[in-house]
Amino acid sequence: MSRIAELFARKNPVFIGFAVAGDPDGETSLRVAKTMIDAGVDLLEVAVPYADPVADGPMIERAHVRALEAGTTPDAVFALVRQVREYAPDLPIVLFTYYNIIYRRGADRFFADAAAAGADGVLIVDLPVEESDEAAPAARRHGIDRIALIAPTTSPERRRAILRDASGFVYLISLEGVTGERDRLSPDIAGLVGAVREGTALPLAVGFGISSPEHVRAVVAAGADGVIVGSALVRLVEERLGDEAGMHDALRTAIGAMLRVLVPEREPDIPGRESIEG
Amino acid sequence: MKAGRYGVYGGQYMPETLMSALIELEETYRRISADPEFSRRLDWYLREYAGRETPLTYCTNISRELGCRVYLKREDLLHGGAHKLNNTLGQALMAKFMGKRRLIAETGAGQHGVATAIAGAALGLPVDVYMGEVDTRRQALNAFRMELLGARVIPVASGTRTLKDAINAAMRDWVTNLGSTHYLLGSCVGPHPFPRIVRDFQSVIGEEARRQVLEREGRLPDTVVACVGGGSNAIGIFSPFVDDDVALVGVEAGGAGLDTPRHGASLSAGSVGVFQGALSYLLQDADGQALETHSVAAGLDHPSVGPEHAMLKDTGRVRYEAVTDAEALAAFRYLSRAEGIIPALESAHAVAYALRSAGDLDRDGILVVNLSGRGDKDVADVAQIRGGAA
Ligand SMILES: Cc1ncc(COP(=O)(O)O)c(C=O)c1O
């Protein structure tokens, strides 16, 4: 079983943390990843820095810029993944990337390098199912899950095509918009989760705009198998660029607060529960 | 060929959230293309409002000097001062047919922003224009023009703070406001169906030019020349000539020279990559990051180019050449004095190529240059570059 499948089989819901590789620089970025893991992140999503991140809001775009200014190349991202893999042998790692990074390297080489570094999945944010002819077989060849994205605007017909091709888990975009913190969640996450659930047995994780423990609670209540938190964590890095100890403290505190919301919602491991309820 | 593909180029490399909007756009475009009411209204706007058709001017003085027959297709005389309005009127009208209540656009030099502001004012749609912070300063006059026309100019402070970042910002706005907003993209770039829509709305340039030159000369021209930024004025004039025995030349921004990193010649010096929704030629580094570009003409200062041009380069149907800043500035001055027409610095690239290549044609040879815009917007810049000397 892959690390991703194994995680979702073992835990529900799971907490997915996002960081831009190399933000604010390579060494700090590795320490940030370790802090996130130590704080209890179940799956790490690592973004490959890209100069034109059209799906991202200003917070994550600034992280891309910091990482690029620190000289973070795709090679450096693979090196970081390798180090995280050594630190946390069982932790699922998903690379979050824009397609030209893959196209330029060559899809086969990209997925080979990702697999060699220890990544489990790749999410290509600007590669819709219609354009996946080259990436999909390359990912499969190297045993990398290609995490599919489904938006509230995705039609049922396209949803079916996307799910036919998906593996690992499915990333549900909670809202019409780019990444970034929001005061309020989109009201119909449960509807989206329910609709997608009908078409797949894969676990469903919800991301975009999830900024607080209250949001995490709402997403879990909507029936998701995982929550993805990005900008809210990236902000803690950005706000404490000159104070690394404070940065790690803030990350631990924030992740801890969100995890505490998750825990009571987790299915208790009580044998024979079915018979009690049924 | 797959839908939305030009050879291998083009496609729809976009976030999932935007796919529904692209599909809606494709369907609307198919519907309005067959709708006589749409054509009737667009024709009216182009003729009665924008001033089509534009003249095909025979240039007596230049022709005498160059020793061939030189015509200019006068998009500089279109309302707004550039070819951009052909596309903005078409797309703004299409937005109305789609029931959209708001237009957004990106702009570099400000010409497309101004043309969108004009179309929005004419058709009663509010307009927000994204413009790189660097460009709002470089092109302060156009920023003011847009505001005068009732548009809101939103400075973009991310990335390189130029055109490509303005496109990124417009896409982010679009993905957040899909129900109400049409993204009026300004060139034949981006994901399908934009390259097709923009080409079709700009093809009026070539259709007129072809008819005009046949009326005047009784035959087709030997060569048609146009500058290439994203490539919309070029594809507009080339399209109706593609199946003819006519040489087509696209002229890119050579900036400080192709042997330096300071240029915008994605076809002449770039490599294939995915950028802002399409597979095309791109100025990029070894990892696939778009490079910073340079041109004295802000409208050509962009790392990529429309996918149809990528195909036309590979098939060899169109030849792409580069002209340096210095050559373009010389042509700017030359055309002003020789014919009393001040060209946009973008269009001056096409003029410069014509000057360079006229020797290839004999006395009866016919050369058509697309004069995509007028140069008033550039006068202050050129004065500064030349230290105040005309
Ligand atoms: C007058 C003029 N010509 C040409 C261009 C380049 O655009 P395109 O290559 O799409 O025609 C611009 C862009 O701003 C322009 O203003």
Side-chain angles (χ1 to χ4, degrees), chain B residues 206-241:
Chain B
E207 283 155 15
E208 286 178 6
R210 195 172 184 283
R211 176 162 35 78
Q212 289 166 317
V213 76
L214 280 173
E215 277 166 16
R216 220 71 61 73
E217 295 280 352
R219 72 172 181 94
L220 291 170
D222 296 282
T223 306
V224 176
V225 183
C227 69
V228 177
S232 68
N233 87 87
I235 207 73
I237 197 163
F238 291 167
S239 285
F241 291 103

Side-chain angles (χ1 to χ4, degrees), chain A residues 41-57:
Chain A
V41 162
D42 295 312
L43 185 156
L44 195 63
E45 209 172 76
V46 178
V48 182
Y50 184 60
D52 296 281
V54 290
D56 285 296

